[in-house]
Amino acid sequence: NSKFDSRHPSLAIGGDGVLHAVWRAPSKANGPAQMYYSNMSSGKWSAPIVAAPSKNYQFFPNICVDDSGKVYAVWMETKSKSDFPKEKPVTGKIYISYLENDGKFSAPKEVSYSGESFYPNMPLSMSGMNFVPVLYSSNAKLGQIMLGKAYK
């Protein structure tokens, strides 16, 4: 839906059958890439919104829906510009947010341990968990896979 180049899509489906999507695209010409959100209910997509507006560059969004129907999004964010098509940022932090009842996302919360964190991912199912597990890569830990936790 963006008039600019859209990349890194992620899709999740809730128990109610609603599809939830996030992706990243610039919000304006030559502007930093932002994470967008839209959902499909009854065969129609909602108008896209910038999920977590920022002056920084956002990459690699991922989305999931927990057993109660709460929608979570994670992404990597950096102050460093990383242009198309290269998209290889050298610094970044991982953030998480959830969709509130008013249709907007909560204030972002950092879940990474360093400023060299990339490629966040969440599980397809969080059955029985009291936290949202977020896996990501960390160059600060010699390329190790790290686990960040956001409590529900």
Side-chain angles (χ1 to χ4, degrees):
N1 289 332
S2 173
K3 60 184 174 184
F4 301 109
D5 188 14
S6 299
R7 297 184 185 206
H8 311 150
S10 178
L11 185 69
I13 187 167
D16 57 2
V18 174
L19 293 173
H20 301 272
V22 289
W23 66 96
R24 67 97 157 163
S27 57
K28 61 183 178 183
N30 299 318
Q34 301 288 285
M35 179 179 59
Y36 282 82
Y37 166 82
S38 182
N39 67 61
M40 179 189 272
S41 181
S42 300
K44 295 182 86 173
W45 284 104
S46 65
I49 62 167
V50 176
S54 175
K55 63 182 188 252
N56 296 324
Y57 296 82
Q58 298 173 341
F59 295 92
F60 316 116
N62 187 255
I63 195 163
C64 73
V65 182
D66 73 9
D67 294 340
S68 72
K70 196 170 199 175
V71 177
Y72 294 89
V74 294
W75 66 97
M76 189 218 83
E77 189 164 312
T78 180
K79 292 180 181 179
S80 302
K81 186 174 183 178
S82 186
D83 289 330
F84 296 121
K86 159 174 106 168
E87 297 181 347
K88 189 172 180 181
V90 294
T91 63
K93 294 180 180 181
I94 306 302
Y95 291 90
I96 190 168
S97 182
Y98 62 88
L99 189 61
E100 298 184 297
N101 292 336
D102 64 1
K104 296 179 182 176
F105 278 83
S106 65
K109 179 182 178 190
E110 184 182 353
V111 294
S112 54
Y113 299 105
S114 80
E116 296 178 8
S117 302
F118 312 97
Y119 315 115
N121 206 339
M122 293 180 290
L124 294 176
S125 172
M126 292 185 280
S127 183
M129 296 182 155
N130 66 346
F131 66 93
V132 180
V134 179
L135 287 176
Y136 62 92
S137 298
S138 175
N139 284 349
K141 298 286 185 179
L142 303 175
Q144 292 181 348
I145 302 298
M146 304 293 290
L147 174 64
K149 294 180 181 179
Y151 289 89
K152 296 182 179 184

